[in-house]
Amino acid sequence: MRFFRWIGPQWIWQGKDINAVYLTFDDGPHPLATPIVLDFLAKHQLKACFFCLGENVQAHPDIYARIIREGHVVGNHTFGHESAFCSSPNSYLSSINKAGKEIESRYFRPPYGRITPLHARKIMKQKYTIVMWTWMSHDFSASMTLRKLQRRCDDIKGGDILVFHDNNKTASKIEAYLTAAVQIIQRKQLNFRTFEMP
Ligand SMILES: [Zn+2]
C-alpha cells in the first residue's frame, strides 16, 4: 500500500495524534454486530468511525441513525462492497455515489484496501478523502482467536488507525475482541480519537 502514497494529500494513512489510536469499523450496519459495538462504545465512552455499505444502510436505517445519534463519524465503503480490482473506475464510482446518497460523509475506505491510482484519482475528484489503516484486527478471519488477537494488539502504537468489522463474521466475537483490545490499548496509556466529521 505504501507504493500509492505519492498520489496525494487526500489520503489518511495514519492518525494525527500520536498519543491516540483511531477505532474504525467496516461493513455495517449489521443487525447483530453493530448494536453490540455501539453498546460497547457507549459503555466505555468511546467514539469511532463506521465505514458503512450503502446497501446495509438501506436495509438497516434505524441502526445507521443510531450510529449518527450517538455521535460517531461515518464513512462510505461503497454500496455493495465492490473490489476496485474487479470493477471499472466508472462503475466503482457509481457504487460510491449510490452509497453517498445514504451516507453523508466525505470519507471513503476501499473494500479490501484495494485501489488503483486511476480509481483513486476519480474518487478524489469527487472530493472524497481516502482513509486507509495501519493496524488490521483480522477479526473476520475464521482462524482468529482471542489469544491471537491479543498478540496482534501488542503491536498497536500511537497514531494507529485500527480496523474492526461489524458484519456477519464478527457478530459473535466482536465484544470479546474489543474488550481485549481496549484493555491492552489503555495499558499502553494511549487515548482514543476519531476523525473530524468532514
Ligand atoms: Zn469491508
Side-chain angles (χ1 to χ4, degrees), residues 114-184:
R114 289 176 192 156
I115 194 83
T116 76
L118 187 61
H119 288 75
R121 257 201 308 277
K122 292 218 172 216
I123 293 162
M124 290 187 294
K125 249 190 209 148
Q126 304 268 310
K127 302 279 183 273
Y128 280 102
T129 295
I130 299 172
V131 183
M132 302 304 273
W133 61 84
T134 51
W135 183 92
M136 166 62 73
S137 64
H138 289 279
D139 54 354
F140 54 84
S141 163
S143 66
M144 182 51 67
T145 63
L146 187 56
R147 185 71 65 83
K148 276 193 205 169
L149 183 99
Q150 285 168 322
R151 275 202 300 270
R152 289 191 82 79
C153 289
D154 288 338
D155 297 335
I156 292 174
K157 58 192 186 316
D160 271 346
I161 298 174
L162 315 178
V163 183
F164 290 89
H165 294 81
D166 46 338
N167 66 21
N168 224 12
K169 291 177 181 154
T170 62
S172 66
K173 41 192 194 172
I174 190 69
E175 191 175 7
Y177 288 176
L178 283 176
T179 303
V182 165
Q183 225 166 48
I184 292 167

Side-chain angles (χ1 to χ4, degrees), residues 63-75:
I63 304 174
Y64 179 75
R66 185 180 162 197
I67 294 172
I68 303 287
R69 195 169 61 238
E70 298 189 0
H72 301 290
V73 174
V74 288

Side-chain angles (χ1 to χ4, degrees), residues 17 19-23 44-47 162 181-183 185-186 190-194:
D17 183 349
N19 297 311
V21 295
Y22 296 69
L23 279 174
H44 294 268
Q45 295 183 302
L46 302 173
K47 299 288 183 231
L162 315 178
V182 165
Q183 225 166 48
I185 293 161
Q186 283 172 337
L190 293 168
N191 302 315
F192 291 87
R193 290 282 300 269
T194 192

